[in-house]
PDB file of all heavy atoms in Angstrom:
ATOM      1  N   ASP W 359      30.842 -21.888  25.121  1.00  0.00           N
ATOM      2  CA  ASP W 359      31.840 -21.617  24.096  1.00  0.00           C
ATOM      3  C   ASP W 359      31.316 -20.548  23.139  1.00  0.00           C
ATOM      4  O   ASP W 359      30.096 -20.315  23.038  1.00  0.00           O
ATOM      5  CB  ASP W 359      32.167 -22.882  23.294  1.00  0.00           C
ATOM      6  CG  ASP W 359      32.772 -23.964  24.162  1.00  0.00           C
ATOM      7  OD1 ASP W 359      33.891 -23.776  24.632  1.00  0.00           O
ATOM      8  OD2 ASP W 359      32.093 -25.005  24.376  1.00  0.00           O
ATOM      9  N   ALA W 360      32.246 -19.942  22.423  1.00  0.00           N
ATOM     10  CA  ALA W 360      31.917 -19.023  21.324  1.00  0.00           C
ATOM     11  C   ALA W 360      32.430 -19.651  20.046  1.00  0.00           C
ATOM     12  O   ALA W 360      33.631 -19.852  19.876  1.00  0.00           O
ATOM     13  CB  ALA W 360      32.566 -17.659  21.541  1.00  0.00           C
ATOM     14  N   ALA W 361      31.521 -20.000  19.155  1.00  0.00           N
ATOM     15  CA  ALA W 361      31.876 -20.637  17.884  1.00  0.00           C
ATOM     16  C   ALA W 361      31.399 -19.744  16.756  1.00  0.00           C
ATOM     17  O   ALA W 361      30.194 -19.695  16.455  1.00  0.00           O
ATOM     18  CB  ALA W 361      31.254 -22.021  17.779  1.00  0.00           C
ATOM     19  N   GLY W 362      32.347 -19.031  16.135  1.00  0.00           N
ATOM     20  CA  GLY W 362      31.952 -18.097  15.085  1.00  0.00           C
ATOM     21  C   GLY W 362      31.089 -16.996  15.669  1.00  0.00           C
ATOM     22  O   GLY W 362      31.491 -16.307  16.601  1.00  0.00           O
ATOM     23  N   ALA W 363      29.894 -16.817  15.139  1.00  0.00           N
ATOM     24  CA  ALA W 363      28.971 -15.793  15.636  1.00  0.00           C
ATOM     25  C   ALA W 363      27.945 -16.383  16.578  1.00  0.00           C
ATOM     26  O   ALA W 363      26.913 -15.758  16.831  1.00  0.00           O
ATOM     27  CB  ALA W 363      28.272 -15.115  14.458  1.00  0.00           C
ATOM     28  N   GLN W 364      28.180 -17.578  17.121  1.00  0.00           N
ATOM     29  CA  GLN W 364      27.235 -18.279  17.978  1.00  0.00           C
ATOM     30  C   GLN W 364      27.822 -18.447  19.374  1.00  0.00           C
ATOM     31  O   GLN W 364      29.028 -18.626  19.549  1.00  0.00           O
ATOM     32  CB  GLN W 364      26.891 -19.656  17.403  1.00  0.00           C
ATOM     33  CG  GLN W 364      26.267 -19.620  16.011  1.00  0.00           C
ATOM     34  CD  GLN W 364      24.823 -19.187  16.042  1.00  0.00           C
ATOM     35  OE1 GLN W 364      24.064 -19.605  16.922  1.00  0.00           O
ATOM     36  NE2 GLN W 364      24.444 -18.349  15.098  1.00  0.00           N
ATOM     37  N   VAL W 365      26.950 -18.380  20.364  1.00  0.00           N
ATOM     38  CA  VAL W 365      27.297 -18.757  21.741  1.00  0.00           C
ATOM     39  C   VAL W 365      26.664 -20.120  21.985  1.00  0.00           C
ATOM     40  O   VAL W 365      25.440 -20.278  21.839  1.00  0.00           O
ATOM     41  CB  VAL W 365      26.790 -17.722  22.755  1.00  0.00           C
ATOM     42  CG1 VAL W 365      27.124 -18.168  24.179  1.00  0.00           C
ATOM     43  CG2 VAL W 365      27.394 -16.359  22.463  1.00  0.00           C
ATOM     44  N   VAL W 366      27.470 -21.112  22.319  1.00  0.00           N
ATOM     45  CA  VAL W 366      27.015 -22.498  22.411  1.00  0.00           C
ATOM     46  C   VAL W 366      27.090 -22.955  23.862  1.00  0.00           C
ATOM     47  O   VAL W 366      28.143 -22.834  24.510  1.00  0.00           O
ATOM     48  CB  VAL W 366      27.866 -23.418  21.516  1.00  0.00           C
ATOM     49  CG1 VAL W 366      27.332 -24.846  21.573  1.00  0.00           C
ATOM     50  CG2 VAL W 366      27.882 -22.902  20.080  1.00  0.00           C
ATOM     51  N   GLY W 441      25.349 -14.669  18.849  1.00  0.00           N
ATOM     52  CA  GLY W 441      26.068 -13.862  19.822  1.00  0.00           C
ATOM     53  C   GLY W 441      26.204 -12.421  19.371  1.00  0.00           C
ATOM     54  O   GLY W 441      26.010 -12.084  18.204  1.00  0.00           O
ATOM     55  N   VAL W 442      26.504 -11.567  20.312  1.00  0.00           N
ATOM     56  CA  VAL W 442      26.704 -10.138  20.033  1.00  0.00           C
ATOM     57  C   VAL W 442      28.201  -9.850  20.187  1.00  0.00           C
ATOM     58  O   VAL W 442      28.742  -9.836  21.288  1.00  0.00           O
ATOM     59  CB  VAL W 442      25.906  -9.247  20.986  1.00  0.00           C
ATOM     60  CG1 VAL W 442      26.169  -7.771  20.685  1.00  0.00           C
ATOM     61  CG2 VAL W 442      24.431  -9.554  20.899  1.00  0.00           C
ATOM     62  N   GLY W 443      28.876  -9.687  19.051  1.00  0.00           N
ATOM     63  CA  GLY W 443      30.298  -9.351  19.077  1.00  0.00           C
ATOM     64  C   GLY W 443      31.190 -10.442  19.609  1.00  0.00           C
ATOM     65  O   GLY W 443      32.208 -10.150  20.238  1.00  0.00           O
ATOM     66  N   VAL W 444      30.844 -11.714  19.383  1.00  0.00           N
ATOM     67  CA  VAL W 444      31.692 -12.804  19.879  1.00  0.00           C
ATOM     68  C   VAL W 444      32.697 -13.168  18.804  1.00  0.00           C
ATOM     69  O   VAL W 444      32.482 -12.953  17.612  1.00  0.00           O
ATOM     70  CB  VAL W 444      30.835 -14.046  20.238  1.00  0.00           C
ATOM     71  CG1 VAL W 444      29.872 -13.704  21.329  1.00  0.00           C
ATOM     72  CG2 VAL W 444      30.091 -14.573  19.023  1.00  0.00           C
ATOM     73  N   THR W 445      33.812 -13.729  19.232  1.00  0.00           N
ATOM     74  CA  THR W 445      34.839 -14.217  18.314  1.00  0.00           C
ATOM     75  C   THR W 445      35.124 -15.656  18.642  1.00  0.00           C
ATOM     76  O   THR W 445      34.926 -16.116  19.775  1.00  0.00           O
ATOM     77  CB  THR W 445      36.128 -13.386  18.462  1.00  0.00           C
ATOM     78  OG1 THR W 445      36.572 -13.441  19.823  1.00  0.00           O
ATOM     79  CG2 THR W 445      35.889 -11.938  18.076  1.00  0.00           C
ATOM     80  N   GLN W 446      35.585 -16.370  17.657  1.00  0.00           N
ATOM     81  CA  GLN W 446      35.807 -17.805  17.836  1.00  0.00           C
ATOM     82  C   GLN W 446      36.945 -18.036  18.813  1.00  0.00           C
ATOM     83  O   GLN W 446      38.007 -17.427  18.734  1.00  0.00           O
ATOM     84  CB  GLN W 446      36.134 -18.464  16.484  1.00  0.00           C
ATOM     85  CG  GLN W 446      36.212 -19.977  16.601  1.00  0.00           C
ATOM     86  CD  GLN W 446      36.156 -20.616  15.229  1.00  0.00           C
ATOM     87  OE1 GLN W 446      35.998 -19.928  14.253  1.00  0.00           O
ATOM     88  NE2 GLN W 446      36.272 -21.912  15.184  1.00  0.00           N
ATOM     89  N   SER W 447      36.732 -18.961  19.761  1.00  0.00           N
ATOM     90  CA  SER W 447      37.752 -19.252  20.775  1.00  0.00           C
ATOM     91  C   SER W 447      38.790 -20.192  20.235  1.00  0.00           C
ATOM     92  O   SER W 447      38.559 -20.899  19.280  1.00  0.00           O
ATOM     93  CB  SER W 447      37.073 -19.863  22.012  1.00  0.00           C
ATOM     94  OG  SER W 447      36.373 -21.044  21.654  1.00  0.00           O
TER      95      SER W 447
END
Side-chain angles (χ1 to χ4, degrees):
D359 297 292
Q364 300 284 319
V365 178
V366 183
V442 179
V444 298
T445 57
Q446 187 165 356
S447 58

